[in-house]
Amino acid sequence: MKTPDTCEKSIALVSNANNTSKGQETPPLFSDVAHDWLATKKLSIKKSTYANYSFMVEKHLLPDFGNLAIKDVDTNRIDAFLLGKKEHGGIRNGEALSEKTISEIKGTLNRVLRYAKSHNIIDTVPDSMPVSVKQPPIEILTKQEQESIEAEALSEDTHFSLGVLLCLNTGIREGELCGLQWGDFDWDAETLSISKTVYRISNMDDESGPKTRVVIDKPKTVYSIRTIPLPPDTVQYFKDRAGAASEYVVTGTEKFMEPRVCRDRYARFEKRAGVTHRKFHTLRHTYATNCVNDGVNTKVLSANMGHSNVNITLQLYVHPSMETKKAEVSKLKTFMNRGQD
């Protein structure tokens, strides 16, 4: 990948774009502008975000637009590109891409074009077809499943089962659990602090090496950096099992666990607990739902979850359990009890 000096390259692109109108220079290629945009973003965003942008540019955008003058990337070309991705956009097998992936590709393309417009390389950002992304259904554990998981975790009493209980009682994410060390706990304040997360990213900087790599970095947003109070009746249990400050909670060593291993371990744990397989993230959904059902203030819950506002918490993570639905419906007056007042 190109790594141009950001300032010099930006000046060159702007100068080139201005001179084009005078017939003195050829217009900048899409590939040049895209690489310049990536260079400006590299030091200001998370490694995972940069890796994702870089992957979208190199693997999806440049094969179609790279050799075009950026001024020629118009609505018709963009719409044809997006339709092609929808039908056979898979890099490895040419299969159809999901709406979520297409939305991410389009978002990256729009960022490059907006960058070009802000530097007077193009006059306007072309319109393009809308891409709708359906929110997948969010699952939570039933009361019986939660009790089975808790019973299995207490019975096993391992570093990993301890992590399961932590997620179920604090709502922390999988990557946050993998990066959690005992030094992140404050036993006097009865809190834990989230300041880092573990994730796997595309390894675009080393094409001769592995395609992905695992890194530990700051959480996804500033709101994810937070301090979470532990449920009071769980503090002693966790404290009794605490290791050295430098040890990672879920491994019991000074080496963190990567999320993919965590997911595999959890799938085997579910079998031992006798519950239906669900994503590890279901523990987080269940925590949020339990908090709402138990009357926890939604602003407090939103802060504990690491969300930027309450609406995100309510819309994405908080869903009444079947037990709660039944309890609320039982309050309804029907033809069987309407005259019993």
Side-chain angles (χ1 to χ4, degrees):
M1 182 189 301
K2 297 179 182 179
T3 55
D5 179 89
T6 302
C7 295
E8 291 182 2
K9 186 69 182 294
S10 295
I11 293 172
L13 283 174
V14 174
S15 176
N16 192 24
N18 291 337
N19 289 334
T20 299
S21 62
K22 303 175 183 179
Q24 297 177 358
E25 300 260 352
T26 57
L29 296 178
F30 179 89
S31 59
D32 293 329
V33 180
H35 284 134
D36 185 41
W37 171 73
L38 282 173
T40 65
K41 303 300 291 183
K42 190 167 188 177
L43 298 180
S44 63
I45 59 179
K46 283 184 58 181
K47 293 177 182 178
S48 60
T49 304
Y50 175 80
N52 185 57
Y53 286 161
S54 181
F55 181 84
M56 294 295 171
V57 167
E58 299 292 338
K59 300 300 183 181
H60 288 288
L61 299 181
L62 294 191
D64 283 74
F65 300 128
N67 293 326
L68 288 175
I70 193 166
K71 68 180 182 62
D72 292 332
V73 180
D74 57 17
T75 296
N76 290 335
R77 281 196 168 97
I78 295 174
D79 286 350
F81 165 74
L82 293 175
L83 286 172
K85 288 297 177 182
K86 185 176 182 179
E87 295 173 357
H88 48 75
I91 294 173
R92 295 180 181 177
N93 49 27
E95 293 182 354
L97 293 178
S98 68
E99 292 178 338
K100 182 176 183 297
T101 300
I102 295 172
S103 178
E104 290 178 350
I105 294 171
K106 179 182 177 181
T108 305
L109 173 59
N110 283 340
R111 288 179 177 90
V112 174
L113 295 173
R114 288 199 299 269
Y115 173 83
K117 182 179 183 299
S118 70
H119 285 74
N120 300 316
I121 300 170
I122 58 176
D123 294 328
T124 60
V125 175
D127 295 327
S128 56
M129 60 183 288
V131 178
S132 60
V133 180
K134 296 178 181 178
Q135 181 67 28
I138 292 179
E139 295 183 308
I140 63 172
L141 298 171
T142 66
K143 182 179 180 181
Q144 183 177 358
E145 287 173 330
Q146 181 174 336
E147 290 175 351
S148 296
I149 283 178
E150 290 171 341
E152 183 63 27
L154 292 170
S155 174
E156 292 185 7
D157 198 13
T158 63
H159 296 295
F160 184 77
S161 65
L162 188 70
V164 171
L165 290 173
L166 266 173
C167 289
L168 196 52
N169 286 274
T170 62
I172 61 176
R173 301 176 177 93
E174 177 185 70
E176 294 169 345
L177 171 67
C178 291
L180 190 66
Q181 295 169 287
W182 286 114
D184 296 322
F185 287 77
D186 184 331
W187 300 117
D188 292 331
E190 300 184 348
T191 61
L192 66 85
S193 296
I194 299 298
S195 60
K196 53 192 178 298
T197 189
V198 179
Y199 46 84
R200 181 175 288 276
I201 64 175
S202 299
N203 193 19
M204 299 299 296
D205 293 332
D206 183 9
E207 296 184 359
S208 62
K211 294 183 179 180
T212 61
R213 58 193 174 99
V214 179
V215 298
I216 185 166
D217 200 3
K218 293 179 181 179
K220 55 191 297 187
T221 68
V222 294
Y223 300 100
S224 294
I225 300 174
R226 62 200 189 279
T227 298
I228 305 171
L230 295 167
D233 57 351
T234 68
V235 173
Q236 195 60 49
Y237 180 86
F238 294 131
K239 184 176 180 180
D240 288 344
R241 289 155 179 77
S246 58
E247 290 180 358
Y248 287 90
V249 174
V250 80
T251 64
T253 69
E254 295 189 359
K255 183 179 179 180
F256 61 78
M257 178 183 292
E258 67 166 289
R260 185 164 59 186
V261 173
C262 184
R263 288 192 290 272
D264 291 342
R265 290 280 301 272
Y266 183 64
R268 295 195 294 271
F269 175 89
E270 286 176 308
K271 288 184 178 181
R272 296 194 298 274
V275 302
T276 302
H277 172 65
R278 291 190 177 89
K279 293 180 179 180
F280 191 91
H281 210 66
T282 303
L283 298 174
R284 177 170 163 86
H285 301 329
T286 302
Y287 165 79
T289 303
N290 287 343
C291 285
V292 169
N293 289 343
D294 290 341
V296 174
N297 180 280
T298 51
K299 288 187 177 180
V300 171
L301 173 58
S302 182
N304 287 348
M305 297 289 284
H307 293 152
S308 58
N309 61 68
V310 174
N311 287 336
I312 293 175
T313 307
L314 294 175
Q315 292 172 8
L316 297 183
Y317 291 98
V318 180
H319 303 271
S321 65
M322 183 53 68
E323 290 85 355
T324 301
K325 290 178 181 178
K326 288 182 177 180
E328 291 301 309
V329 169
S330 68
K331 300 175 183 178
L332 179 66
K333 290 186 180 299
T334 70
F335 63 93
M336 292 295 290
N337 58 25
R338 201 177 304 278
Q340 296 178 10
D341 293 342

